[in-house]
DNA sequence: GTGAAAGCGCTAACAT
DNA sequence: ATGTTAGCGCTTTCAC
């Protein structure tokens, strides 16, 4: 390993000078500068980021807390977050909490404020107390996707209008004539998905179709969850459309329909929320409400960096662009039979 | 932030003693020990990992270099790697190189040996020279999945027998009676996939069916790549089975078949390699050759840690368990018609 | 058993 | 324009 002072020695100057030329700080003589640069080159010097961090009192990394990077939603967010961090000269440490608040806390305890300057949370399964305590220790925390733009969480966050996302799904289904709708409610009772479901119901009410929801099932937020619940929901042939609060169960529903020989979208419409990669790739391609995932990731990193630079900012809430309906091949107008049946 | 010396002061001892009780090192008096622990508790002290790293001359993080964490293959590997690292008290920095050797080099330059003690590479798009130089600087490098167990790469690695993976696919297809086989060759010409393809061909030769491959197409290693190539490959209805060197194009092929109204597996068999999550979830579920992804990740981390502890180990190669054929719903015996046609 | 002191590699005043 | 001098928070000999 080559150190600053070795470079200094080689260049016949002192390490402070080397530091200065490397960080373009104080004015350094043109000739000295060249000599230093040559020494850096000759010795293959690379700054020791850990030492620099200690001296500067700040770390070059940010922590990203997710339930599991293997969940198909996170990688897209993580990629965008890492790129954004990278552009600001920061590295990203990925922390999988496995939805266990204790693992999350252990992570926060260890790295927040020591190894990482800030924490980006994309996982609701962390205790708010732990997050606040992390903040108090001096490491900013931002919530990567807060579901209620109109109800700040008391922590810095980037809000995404999940209520609207649900509403968009409802309007789409109603516009297609669906009046017998099933809901696949993912991710546990008191979670982020409830806002989506509320948006769905509210839109239904606005449109005068509050009674259109004929089935609601809570499912594990996964393809498998949607698959098993789907088989049950589809059994009696009542519903003509299914709204899943997330793409994964929606995809599972697609499979359930296929297994039962039910044609999508001819006999059944399916809509999800998020627009993950596999939604585009599914057969039929999934109609869904796209979330501004990448934008939210980039905004989160930007906010985090601002908070690190200026901790007195409080708990600002930034709002990402609105979710957007993406119509693909899994939704269509309600089959005639169903429309008739409804009128009796 | 609470520092060691603050704790020391609070406990009426010196920081060396606090350090000792915290790291269970030198013998500390039972009574002092209790007092220190109480102070730690009272002040909410957490060790500053960066400072510790600098003092110890080693970092608590490992770097994982991947092309893109958003590629469906990497998250599973990354999760396993992070868990393994975690169990050894290490954190994982994820570096997306976007298949750009220059980005990879920039990463290596910056973090290897300073922020991270070692580098796990899951991406062939890094220059070997850069990796060797990283090693020379004192940061061990391990290749997460080396494709040739019988040809060590000159760098520490965990080998997975990709030749066998290809062979297993071939034997399966031949056993089912397929004699008109198309190959979707993913990931660029001189890449990791060539070993799989070679394994496929070698097995064919062994079985006396070298002429069974009637189409070979190079495709982008993605669902889209398989989809577009698939449409073309299937156009004339010649092939009865398709071997894709990776699951992603295999999945794309499934879609291409669906789009053309070709039934899988009744009219067409499709087999991939890897066994990513979506292979299980596809309809029909994809027959594939499962790679020991998680084991390779865990072994890679273990090897990396060994090398960090003992740099004089050289370039050991560990071999992960053999790939395994996983028969699901996308392959079946060749349709009769095809068998007949072959005999004319 | 506990303390004193040096130092990890770098930064940032402050001198000169 | 360059050098001197303190640290950053922790670990680790080496004395006592």
């Amino acid at each position: 390993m080559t150190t600053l002072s070795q470079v200094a020695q080689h260049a016949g100057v002192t390490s402070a000078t080397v530091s200065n030329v490397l960080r373009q700080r104080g004015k350094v003589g043109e000739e000295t500068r060249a000599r230093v640069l040559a020494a850096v080159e000759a010795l293959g010097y690379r700054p020791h980021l850990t030492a620099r961090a200690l001296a500067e009192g700040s770390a070059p990394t940010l922590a990203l807390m997710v339930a599991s990077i293997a969940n198909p939603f996170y990688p897209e967010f993580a990629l965008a977050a890492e790129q954004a961090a990278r552009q600001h000269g920061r590295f990203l440490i990925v922390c999988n909490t496995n939805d266990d608040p204790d693992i999350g806390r252990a992570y926060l305890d260890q790295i927040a404020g020591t190894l990482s300057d800030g924490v980006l949370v994309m996982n609701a399964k962390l205790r708010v107390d732990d997050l606040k305590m992390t903040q108090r220790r001096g490491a900013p925390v931002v919530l990567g996707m807060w579901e209620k733009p109109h109800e700040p969480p008391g922590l810095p966050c980037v809000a995404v209008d999940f209520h609207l996302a649900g509403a968009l799904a409802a309007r789409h289904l109603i516009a297609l004539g669906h009046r017998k709708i099933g809901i696949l409610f993912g991710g546990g009772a008191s979670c982020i998905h409830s806002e989506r479901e509320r948006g769905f119901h509210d839109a239904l009410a606005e449109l005068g179709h509050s009674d259109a929801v004929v089935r609601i099932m809570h499912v594990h937020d996964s393809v498998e969850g949607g698959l098993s619940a789907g088989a049950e929901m589809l059994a009696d042939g009542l519903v003509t459309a299914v709204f899943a609060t997330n793409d994964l169960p929606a995809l599972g529903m697609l499979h359930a329909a296929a297994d039962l020989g039910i044609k999508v979208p001819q006999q059944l419409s399916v809509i999800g929320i998020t627009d993950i990669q596999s939604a585009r790739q599914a057969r039929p391609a999934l109609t869904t409400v796209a979330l501004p995932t990448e934008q939210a990731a980039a905004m989160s990193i930007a906010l985090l960096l601002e908070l690190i630079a200026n901790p007195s900012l409080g708990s600002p809430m930034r709002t990402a662009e609105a979710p957007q309906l993406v119509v693909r091949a899994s939704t269509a107008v309600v089959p005639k039979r169903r429309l008739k049946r409804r009128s009796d």
Side-chain angles (χ1 to χ4, degrees), chain A residues 218-301:
Chain A
H218 285 257
V219 303
H220 183 255
D221 191 12
S222 63
V223 173
E224 290 74 15
L227 176 60
S228 56
E232 191 179 335
M233 182 176 283
L234 263 24
D236 64 3
L238 177 60
V239 307
T240 65
V242 172
F243 162 58
T245 56
N246 212 0
D247 282 350
L248 255 16
L251 257 15
M253 176 56 83
L254 247 30
H255 295 159
D259 291 350
L260 292 168
I262 297 174
K263 299 212 167 183
V264 176
Q266 296 86 344
Q267 298 169 274
L268 178 77
S269 285
V270 177
I271 187 170
I273 287 184
T274 306
D275 196 20
I276 58 175
Q277 273 187 39
S278 23
R280 279 157 255 173
Q281 300 165 350
R283 290 293 125 134
L286 186 69
T287 292
T288 187
V289 179
L291 261 24
T293 307
E294 293 178 15
Q295 194 205 15
M299 289 177 69
S300 300
I301 292 293

Side-chain angles (χ1 to χ4, degrees), chain A residues 53-100:
Chain A
L54 185 60
E56 284 181 331
S58 81
T61 74
L62 265 17
L64 171 64
M65 317 264 307
V66 297
S68 163
I69 192 69
N71 176 315
F73 170 68
Y74 297 117
E76 300 183 40
F77 186 92
L79 175 62
E82 193 254 12
Q83 314 257 35
R86 198 73 195 87
Q87 280 167 10
H88 295 276
R90 302 278 188 158
F91 302 96
L92 238 215
I93 295 182
V94 173
C95 310
N96 298 107
T97 66
N98 194 27
D99 271 337
D100 181 340

Side-chain angles (χ1 to χ4, degrees), chain A residues 13-307:
Chain A
V13 294
T14 186
S15 56
T17 303
V18 178
S19 178
N20 279 337
V21 356
L22 256 28
R23 345 195 63 236
Q24 344 254 39
R25 200 163 291 268
K27 336 84 212 288
V28 182
E30 195 44 55
E31 194 249 344
T32 330
R33 167 184 198 68
R35 209 147 25 90
V36 168
L37 256 17
V40 164
E41 182 64 23
L43 271 45
Y45 169 79
R46 300 284 177 270
H48 195 297
L49 265 28
T50 297
R52 174 178 288 180
L54 185 60
E56 284 181 331
S58 81
T61 74
L62 265 17
L64 171 64
M65 317 264 307
V66 297
S68 163
I69 192 69
N71 176 315
F73 170 68
Y74 297 117
E76 300 183 40
F77 186 92
L79 175 62
E82 193 254 12
Q83 314 257 35
R86 198 73 195 87
Q87 280 167 10
H88 295 276
R90 302 278 188 158
F91 302 96
L92 238 215
I93 295 182
V94 173
C95 310
N96 298 107
T97 66
N98 194 27
D99 271 337
D100 181 340
D102 292 329
I103 296 183
R105 185 188 183 11
Y107 263 119
L108 291 173
D109 264 6
Q110 292 190 81
I111 58 181
T114 71
L115 236 198
S116 287
D117 267 359
V119 180
L120 172 47
V121 178
M122 257 312 294
N123 177 338
K125 293 290 174 47
L126 284 165
R127 297 185 201 95
V128 174
D129 284 355
D130 291 340
L131 292 175
K132 300 231 171 186
M133 134 110 71
T134 300
Q135 274 189 144
R136 245 175 280 124
R137 278 226 198 80
V141 168
V142 356
L143 269 25
M145 272 204 189
W146 174 249
E147 66 266 31
K148 300 173 229 170
H150 308 297
E151 282 179 45
L155 281 169
C157 66
V158 171
V160 170
D161 196 341
F162 282 11
H163 187 274
L164 173 60
L168 289 173
R171 288 182 207 144
H172 179 59
L173 257 24
I174 291 299
L176 292 173
H178 294 281
R179 300 296 182 266
K180 301 291 182 189
I181 300 172
I183 295 182
L184 250 31
F185 192 108
S190 64
C191 74
I192 210 170
H193 288 195
S194 56
E195 194 61 24
R196 313 178 186 195
E197 202 262 352
R198 198 170 306 136
F200 191 86
H201 267 110
D202 289 351
L204 247 34
E206 265 174 33
L207 297 167
H209 290 292
S210 288
D211 56 346
V213 174
V214 295
R215 292 261 191 293
I216 297 188
M217 292 184 68
H218 285 257
V219 303
H220 183 255
D221 191 12
S222 63
V223 173
E224 290 74 15
L227 176 60
S228 56
E232 191 179 335
M233 182 176 283
L234 263 24
D236 64 3
L238 177 60
V239 307
T240 65
V242 172
F243 162 58
T245 56
N246 212 0
D247 282 350
L248 255 16
L251 257 15
M253 176 56 83
L254 247 30
H255 295 159
D259 291 350
L260 292 168
I262 297 174
K263 299 212 167 183
V264 176
Q266 296 86 344
Q267 298 169 274
L268 178 77
S269 285
V270 177
I271 187 170
I273 287 184
T274 306
D275 196 20
I276 58 175
Q277 273 187 39
S278 23
R280 279 157 255 173
Q281 300 165 350
R283 290 293 125 134
L286 186 69
T287 292
T288 187
V289 179
L291 261 24
T293 307
E294 293 178 15
Q295 194 205 15
M299 289 177 69
S300 300
I301 292 293
L303 178 52
L304 199 46
L305 260 16
E306 284 179 50
L307 287 161

